[in-house]
Amino acid sequence: KMFTTLREGVFPALGSDSDFDFVLHQVVQPWHSQCVPCHEAALAVQRVAPQSYVEYVANIFRAYTAQQFTDQVTLNKTRKQLYQELLELLPESISEPDSAAIQELLLPENERASRSMVQDIKWTCKYHRTRGVHVTPTVFVNGMEAGAISSGWTAEQWLDFLKQKGQDNFTG
């Protein structure tokens, strides 16, 4: 919900000349078995076609909202099946060579080849462990956790919060 609210409500309201920087960090939740392939796919897009990363993440969230990647639906799917479904979500803006490179990262032709996205997942997990992030969403403003922010916030609530630019508004 938060991603969609920010992307479709807050960012357009702030405009392109805003002095805010928003950084999306993926937080892997390994207790959802489909989570790691989803994150690996998004990280592969970020590595190969960074200009399409946000659009791809939006595609994954839309698919999840449509029940495509929920625990119940993915329970009996193989990792390879999940990768194939995730590859189908690649934005059309990704070139054919980049699409092939992303596919090779997720489904290497040599099945004995180690998946190179594993290291990216390790770095992502380590980064959030050192920051004490255990639940999502967790929002940081100016490097400090802003616990008052909720995933259910409307665009208006976000804009009110951002007016203060994080000044003493971290706990609500």
Side-chain angles (χ1 to χ4, degrees):
K1 279 196 282 186
M2 182 183 290
F3 176 85
T4 303
T5 300
L6 288 169
R7 186 167 188 244
E8 297 176 5
V10 176
F11 297 164
L14 290 175
S16 60
D17 59 344
S18 168
D19 60 350
F20 292 102
D21 290 323
F22 290 86
V23 179
L24 172 64
H25 289 279
Q26 296 176 217
V27 179
V28 179
Q29 297 177 329
W31 48 90
H32 299 292
S33 61
Q34 74 282 15
C35 186
V36 173
C38 288
H39 282 279
E40 286 178 328
L43 289 167
V45 170
Q46 186 179 44
R47 182 192 296 182
V48 174
Q51 72 284 358
S52 298
Y53 173 70
V54 172
E55 184 181 0
Y56 184 64
V57 170
N59 290 351
I60 292 175
F61 282 139
R62 273 193 293 278
Y64 182 83
T65 301
Q67 305 299 308
Q68 185 174 351
F69 292 107
T70 61
D71 291 341
Q72 194 170 18
V73 170
T74 60
L75 181 64
N76 294 314
K77 292 184 180 181
T78 67
R79 192 177 194 106
K80 187 173 185 175
Q81 288 172 315
L82 291 172
Y83 287 136
Q84 289 166 337
E85 289 182 26
L86 288 159
L87 288 166
E88 291 173 13
L89 299 177
L90 291 176
E92 291 180 14
S93 60
I94 295 179
S95 70
E96 196 59 41
D98 284 350
S99 181
I102 292 165
Q103 181 169 339
E104 182 61 25
L105 286 171
L106 299 176
L107 294 167
E109 285 187 33
N110 176 355
E111 297 211 7
R112 291 184 182 205
S114 68
R115 294 184 350 270
S116 65
M117 298 314 300
V118 170
Q119 186 59 54
D120 292 51
I121 291 292
K122 289 178 182 179
W123 287 328
T124 299
C125 291
K126 185 173 184 174
Y127 178 76
H128 291 295
R129 284 180 185 161
T130 60
R131 295 191 84 189
V133 174
H134 299 288
V135 296
T136 61
T138 300
V139 177
F140 290 84
V141 177
N142 297 329
M144 296 182 65
E145 185 175 345
I149 295 175
S150 167
S151 62
W153 271 18
T154 64
E156 294 74 29
Q157 288 172 298
W158 269 102
L159 293 167
D160 287 344
F161 176 81
L162 293 172
K163 279 181 195 172
Q164 299 177 46
K165 296 191 177 183
Q167 296 177 10
D168 199 35
N169 193 20
F170 289 92
T171 58

